[in-house]
Amino acid sequence: KHAWLHVGSELARNLATSGQGVQNHRMNVLLSSIPDCHVAWLSLGGSEAELAGWHACLDASERERAARFVFDTHRWRFIAGRGQLRTHLGRLTGQAPAAVSIAAEPNGKPYLPAHPALLFNLSHSEDLAVLAWRERGAASERLGVDVERRAPLRDLVGLARHAFSAAEQRQVLALREADRRGAFYEVWSKKEAVIKALGDGVSYGLGRFRVPLLGEPLHFDDPAEEPARWQVRSFEVPGDFAAALAFRS
């Protein structure tokens, strides 16, 4: 069982109790088994009025990005995700959602210039998003989160051989066929969370590290990355999704 509890930290309580509250903003806050790291899952659906409100708090670049989506569903999900992200970051920092300034590092990882001590990361899959945040304790700290719908896979074996380390491939492919899809997405979401924490994207190399699975420890080929500084955990969200959180101290 994963040790995920309802709101329990001062930071999470601030988010949950300010303004209209969590439920009115479609956010469900959890407290992870990684100390002082928090996650929430968000619905990317919304009424016309909610979407209009979230769109109103986007900045010019976000509105331009929303307008470029070809399909309305994708546009609405982007607006819902970005608008709710701004709402929750605003509640954490004491700002109106539209006043939150979100910048990007050279590698594209977002941060708050006015609040560099607040680490956060957002991931989405179809109509579900997950948000992770933490108050930074040291400059070296990194945080990443990922969510993936457990979609059927036509070539699970081929994908595993392309994206997983040799050890991960052996672990997943040694399972009964009925168990492979769940294990595949557990590994995939954990690897994506680590990649997002590092901020380098898939260019870092998905095969250059091994995530924890079936008792195997985290491992990096790069000796500069010390596994002892990392914590990688799966957590439960509604529906047929896999989700994971990664934190480096």
Side-chain angles (χ1 to χ4, degrees), residues 26 65 76 84 110 116 126 132 143 153 186-187 189 191 195 222:
R26 315 174 73 85
R65 183 175 170 187
W76 296 334
Q84 289 180 92
E126 296 192 352
L143 184 69
L153 297 167
E186 179 181 346
V187 172
S189 59
K191 291 178 84 71
I195 286 290
D222 182 357

Side-chain angles (χ1 to χ4, degrees), residues 10-11 14 77 84 87 89 122 148 161 168-169 174 177 184 210 223 235 238 249:
E10 186 62 31
L11 184 59
N14 288 343
R77 287 174 178 169
Q84 289 180 92
T87 297
L89 292 177
L122 180 74
E148 304 285 342
R161 287 177 175 160
E168 290 164 340
Q169 293 175 42
E177 189 167 349
F184 176 93
R210 179 186 68 221
F235 61 94
S249 63

Side-chain angles (χ1 to χ4, degrees), residues 9-200:
S9 71
E10 186 62 31
L11 184 59
R13 275 195 295 272
N14 288 343
L15 182 59
T17 59
S18 60
Q20 298 178 38
V22 171
Q23 292 300 323
N24 289 349
H25 287 283
R26 315 174 73 85
M27 187 175 79
N28 297 268
V29 182
L30 304 168
L31 175 65
S32 80
S33 58
I34 301 178
D36 299 320
C37 292
H38 311 284
V39 294
W41 61 266
L42 317 169
S43 168
L44 297 184
S47 67
E48 186 174 335
E50 286 175 314
L51 288 168
W54 290 324
H55 185 269
C57 72
L58 303 185
D59 66 19
S61 65
E62 291 167 329
R63 293 182 188 185
E64 290 174 5
R65 183 175 170 187
R68 288 197 296 268
F69 283 97
V70 175
F71 298 105
D72 288 342
T73 299
H74 297 161
R75 181 181 304 109
W76 296 334
R77 287 174 178 169
F78 173 78
I79 292 170
R82 203 68 179 186
Q84 289 180 92
L85 171 65
R86 285 182 161 277
T87 297
H88 304 317
L89 292 177
R91 289 178 180 276
L92 286 171
T93 59
Q95 297 175 280
V100 175
S101 176
I102 303 174
E105 297 175 357
N107 56 24
K109 190 174 178 66
Y111 71 99
L112 301 182
H115 301 275
L118 179 61
L119 295 176
F120 71 95
N121 198 228
L122 180 74
S123 177
H124 64 86
S125 181
E126 296 192 352
D127 60 354
L128 187 78
V130 289
L131 170 65
W133 71 95
R134 171 190 170 87
E135 289 184 338
R136 189 195 299 267
S140 62
E141 291 183 356
R142 307 294 282 180
L143 184 69
V145 71
D146 187 61
V147 63
E148 304 285 342
R149 187 174 78 85
R150 297 188 187 98
L153 297 167
R154 277 193 252 179
D155 187 13
L156 183 152
V157 174
L159 286 171
R161 287 177 175 160
H162 175 73
F164 291 178
S165 70
E168 290 164 340
Q169 293 175 42
R170 287 194 298 270
Q171 288 175 300
V172 171
L173 300 182
L175 297 172
R176 297 181 306 160
E177 189 167 349
D179 297 327
R180 286 181 180 177
R181 184 163 64 107
F184 176 93
Y185 280 108
E186 179 181 346
V187 172
W188 186 268
S189 59
K190 285 179 175 179
K191 291 178 84 71
E192 285 284 344
V194 170
I195 286 290
K196 292 184 73 178
L198 289 168
D200 295 326

